[in-house]
Amino acid sequence: MAEARISSERAMRLALRLARRGAGQTWPNPSVGAVVYRGTRILGRGTTRASGGAHAEIVAIENARRRHGPNALRGASMAVTLEPCCIHGRTGPCTDALVEAGVRRVFIGCRDSHPKVSGRGIRRLRRAGIVVDVGVLEPECRTEHRGFLSVQERGRPFVSLKLAATLDGRIATADGKSRWITGQASRQIVHRLRARSDAIVVGSATARTDDPRLDARVTGRMPVRPVRVLVDSKLRVPVSSRIYRVADVERTWALCAPGARGIAVRNRLGARVLECPVRGGHLDLRKAFGRLAREGLTEVLVEGGGELAAALLRARLIDEFHWFVAPKLIGGDGRPALASLGLRQLAKAVALKEVRTRKSGDDILLTGSIGDFP
């Protein structure tokens, strides 16, 4: 009995797995996955290279050529998680490469929201006689590209918030000690969350108290270097902190108020200082995160502390929640996981959707979304 042909959904699921390999490494471009196949054979696979490198479609085509020769591409199909680009940037248009390769059919997960691409890549392929099907596993593909789509459709990165607290909602003792509330298994999950993010964001209080490195250490994975973003309106975090004493200090970005003291010394160290508007005596977080999007960041992970987390919730800038709960009690004199949200009615409490729970060693991880994006 003949082996069943590869379905478009099966090919797209493989493309999604390929896309996940590049998460956190390709910004400002999305990490796209692409698969070239014919009948029952996978001819080539591709993941978007780091910024400035080849897009997934090109990588998959070249992979197929090396393995099977150029003629194998004639009449083949491709599954790609995002609409192929049709513009000249650091690389040539992927649509032209598909036409030249002789691909006969293209299955697309979701449209590209970039105004110079949206729908145009699809039209370019169809004008060339390629059969195009759009929307294969679209919800999954939009979720995979949520950071890129958020920048294009909302002008800001997709923002996840991670908090680690005790059963009574405390993130530290009264004197600020927080290492370690959660166990090793939870900390490994956090490093995986960091690794798929373009940047890790912390507030000045957390940076002064914990002096974190904000790196991503994931066993068996290519080294990932997320940008370290410090929300520090008055630049109070000293330059002796570890966030500034790193080899790749150019990946330390500080968000501060215009004219804050200490800008020059941080620039001399090699760090980036982004001056952002102030509103009500504090950084305007909406405009600050909009600035991060303009600088190329698409998906960021916020790791606290309680004041920054609450401010972002008040500004409705949180899209996803990761709350680690440790089976410990600190008591009322401990520091709360969240500062005031200014709520006066229970009906206005922040509600998580699609909540998922899992065991993490002795801890419990609750993950949920806020809002409807993507």
Side-chain angles (χ1 to χ4, degrees):
M1 184 175 180
E3 185 180 352
R5 295 169 62 89
I6 296 172
S7 68
S8 59
E9 287 197 2
R10 179 183 166 193
M12 191 63 73
R13 292 195 189 283
L14 175 55
L16 281 165
R17 289 200 296 272
L18 292 166
R20 293 184 191 109
R21 292 182 181 179
Q25 303 176 66
T26 64
W27 62 274
N29 295 328
S31 177
V32 175
V35 176
V36 184
Y37 63 101
R38 181 204 295 272
T40 61
R41 298 176 67 197
I42 299 293
L43 303 177
R45 312 169 191 229
T47 301
T48 302
R49 300 297 191 224
S51 181
H55 291 187
E57 299 94 321
I58 307 299
V59 176
I61 288 171
E62 292 303 318
N63 180 245
R65 282 189 178 130
R66 284 195 306 273
R67 296 172 61 197
H68 304 286
N71 290 335
L73 288 159
R74 298 288 171 186
S77 298
M78 174 178 280
V80 59
T81 55
L82 186 70
E83 178 180 359
C85 69
C86 55
I87 57 177
H88 287 274
R90 295 183 181 181
T91 61
C94 292
T95 50
D96 290 359
L98 287 164
V99 173
E100 291 166 8
V103 171
R104 183 180 66 86
R105 188 163 192 168
V106 176
F107 297 94
I108 296 172
C110 62
R111 289 175 180 262
D112 188 329
S113 299
H114 192 291
K116 292 184 179 180
V117 178
S118 184
R120 296 180 183 181
I122 295 168
R123 291 194 294 272
R124 167 75 176 96
L125 294 175
R126 284 175 172 162
R127 283 198 301 268
I130 295 175
V131 178
V132 180
D133 291 322
V134 184
V136 179
L137 300 184
E138 183 173 10
E140 292 93 330
C141 290
R142 279 190 63 86
T143 296
E144 187 60 35
H145 299 309
R146 61 192 187 179
F148 175 77
L149 297 174
S150 178
V151 169
Q152 302 304 320
E153 297 173 18
R154 304 189 296 178
R156 67 167 179 85
F158 186 92
V159 182
S160 297
L161 173 63
K162 182 232 84 177
L163 289 172
T166 58
L167 280 172
D168 51 351
R170 304 292 154 172
I171 59 173
T173 59
D175 59 358
K177 289 185 174 62
S178 61
R179 292 184 178 178
W180 294 101
I181 283 180
T182 54
Q184 181 62 29
S186 295
R187 295 197 291 276
Q188 290 175 352
I189 293 173
V190 170
H191 279 281
R192 291 198 291 272
L193 291 173
R194 290 178 175 183
R196 72 152 291 146
S197 304
D198 302 337
I200 307 164
V201 184
V202 295
S204 58
T206 296
R208 292 199 305 271
T209 302
D210 294 346
D211 195 18
R213 286 189 295 181
L214 300 184
D215 54 6
R217 302 185 296 278
V218 181
T219 304
R221 196 182 192 276
M222 289 286 289
V224 181
R225 299 184 303 146
V227 172
R228 299 168 290 269
V229 177
L230 177 60
V231 181
D232 189 9
S233 62
K234 297 182 179 179
L235 294 180
R236 289 174 171 168
V237 176
V239 294
S240 59
S241 301
R242 289 200 293 184
I243 200 169
Y244 289 114
R245 298 296 178 183
V246 287
D248 58 344
V249 69
E250 72 280 358
R251 297 178 80 84
T252 294
W253 297 7
L255 302 177
C256 70
R261 292 184 62 183
I263 292 177
V265 67
R266 285 159 177 79
N267 284 335
R268 283 197 297 272
L269 285 174
R272 292 196 63 192
V273 180
L274 307 179
E275 299 178 65
C276 302
V278 172
R279 184 178 181 182
H282 301 279
L283 287 186
D284 186 323
L285 291 173
R286 282 196 164 273
K287 292 185 177 179
F289 276 60
R291 175 71 182 274
L292 294 180
R294 293 194 297 276
E295 296 293 335
L297 300 183
T298 64
E299 185 157 349
V300 302
L301 175 67
V302 178
E303 293 204 22
E307 291 286 349
L308 177 60
L312 289 167
L313 285 167
R314 291 195 301 269
R316 298 183 179 180
L317 288 172
I318 300 298
D319 299 303
E320 185 176 72
F321 227 111
H322 303 277
W323 190 298
F324 293 86
V325 181
K328 300 174 182 177
L329 299 170
I330 289 179
D333 55 345
R335 296 187 179 181
L338 286 175
S340 172
L341 295 179
L343 300 178
R344 296 292 180 267
Q345 299 177 29
L346 185 58
K348 294 185 177 181
V350 177
L352 302 186
K353 302 177 181 178
E354 301 174 355
V355 178
R356 304 178 301 281
T357 61
R358 60 179 285 193
K359 282 278 291 178
S360 174
D362 290 332
D363 308 325
I364 296 174
L365 169 60
L366 293 91
T367 301
S369 60
I370 301 176
D372 299 320
F373 196 87

